[in-house]
Amino acid sequence: MNPAKRYEIFTRFREANPHPTTELEYSTPFELLIAVLLSAQSTDVGVNKATRRLYPVANTPQAILDLGLDELKTYISTIGLYNNKAKNVIATCEILVNQYGGEVPREREALESLPGVGRKTANVVLNTAFGEAAMAVDTHIFRVSNRTNIAPGKNVDVVEQKLLKFVPKEFLQDAHHWLILHGRYTCVARTPKCWNCIIADLCEYKDKTPAPKKVLPPSVPSLTD
């Protein structure tokens, strides 16, 4: 994998999707923070279903504190690990109200100090809410980076640093979203859809998946047979 290939890969991603964004639904940095916190080991679809119920009722740190732990659980009970996540949301809201005036901090260290917020969550918020060229490496990005050879690495930290180094600067802001979407819908875990991939000729994955054979409909005997 060389700089010219990487540049062409991200050029194609941009042409196909000029303005990518997260599939989590949000309207404020706080709503995004809570949605990402809830999304650990859960799908964006599942989180969106819960926040569509929660946010019209409580979408600020103080409003969620007013709601209380038990009531919060009723809104997010369809999400995996909701008991622990509810505790983290309440604890995070308390810190935001007491230390940050109810606002989401823009500093990485402050974000990572919030309960339930790790480096990946902080990177999503920094990138998507605040427009920083942060790279949140989830399982999709880790897989795509290694499989394509864009930024191979043995763990998420190595992949993150390589992506920040290798992705051309003009694409850094959106690269996070392109890679997630590519991993979620095309370069999927078990059987990548190489036959339907816009970067297949640039990807260095050796065992590319051929297009599935078309299944013919069963023949119907003729009435004259």
Side-chain angles (χ1 to χ4, degrees):
M1 183 61 62
N2 57 48
K5 275 188 177 182
R6 290 190 184 95
Y7 191 89
E8 178 61 22
I9 284 170
F10 286 100
T11 296
R12 292 185 190 180
F13 283 152
R14 181 171 61 186
E15 289 173 350
N17 186 3
H19 305 290
T21 189
T22 178
E23 293 186 314
L24 291 170
E25 297 172 359
Y26 74 99
S27 59
T28 66
F30 176 73
E31 288 186 358
L32 177 64
L33 172 64
I34 298 304
V36 179
L37 195 156
L38 294 175
S39 70
Q41 299 181 48
S42 302
T43 66
D44 288 0
V45 171
V47 172
N48 288 338
K49 287 180 180 178
T51 57
R52 285 172 196 162
R53 298 191 301 269
L54 173 64
Y55 288 160
V57 177
N59 69 338
T60 67
Q62 188 59 59
I64 287 182
L65 290 177
D66 293 341
L67 203 61
L69 179 62
D70 291 339
E71 189 68 15
L72 172 62
K73 288 181 181 180
T74 66
Y75 286 96
I76 66 171
S77 60
T78 55
I79 298 175
L81 308 174
Y82 75 93
N83 282 306
N84 192 53
K85 289 177 181 179
K87 292 176 183 177
N88 285 334
V89 169
I90 291 294
T92 288
C93 288
E94 288 175 344
I95 293 173
L96 293 179
V97 168
N98 295 330
Q99 297 184 25
Y100 300 103
E103 299 296 323
V104 176
R106 299 185 64 144
E107 297 76 28
R108 174 184 298 282
E109 294 75 13
L111 284 168
E112 290 187 22
S113 72
L114 298 171
V117 177
R119 184 174 182 85
K120 184 178 73 173
T121 297
N123 279 339
V124 173
V125 174
L126 290 170
N127 175 279
T128 307
F130 298 131
E132 296 189 18
M135 189 68 64
V137 179
D138 68 350
T139 55
H140 296 300
I141 292 183
F142 184 78
R143 179 176 65 255
V144 171
S145 297
N146 277 286
R147 185 182 275 166
T148 63
N149 212 31
I150 290 173
K154 61 182 180 180
N155 58 53
V156 294
D157 293 331
V158 172
V159 170
E160 177 184 339
Q161 294 308 312
K162 284 192 174 182
L163 285 170
L164 291 172
K165 178 181 179 181
F166 292 146
V167 175
K169 288 185 178 180
E170 69 182 272
F171 302 113
L172 265 178
Q173 175 62 41
D174 294 322
H176 160 79
H177 299 299
W178 286 321
L179 291 171
I180 284 180
L181 294 171
H182 191 64
R184 186 172 287 169
Y185 297 110
T186 303
C187 197
V188 295
R190 291 188 178 181
T191 308
K193 302 175 183 178
C194 302
W195 70 91
N196 195 37
C197 175
I198 62 173
I199 63 166
D201 58 316
L202 301 167
C203 166
E204 297 184 358
Y205 180 54
K206 294 180 179 179
D207 302 318
K208 290 188 171 63
T209 310
K213 296 180 180 179
K214 292 184 178 180
V215 178
L216 296 175
S219 59
V220 179
S222 169
L223 294 177
T224 60
D225 289 347

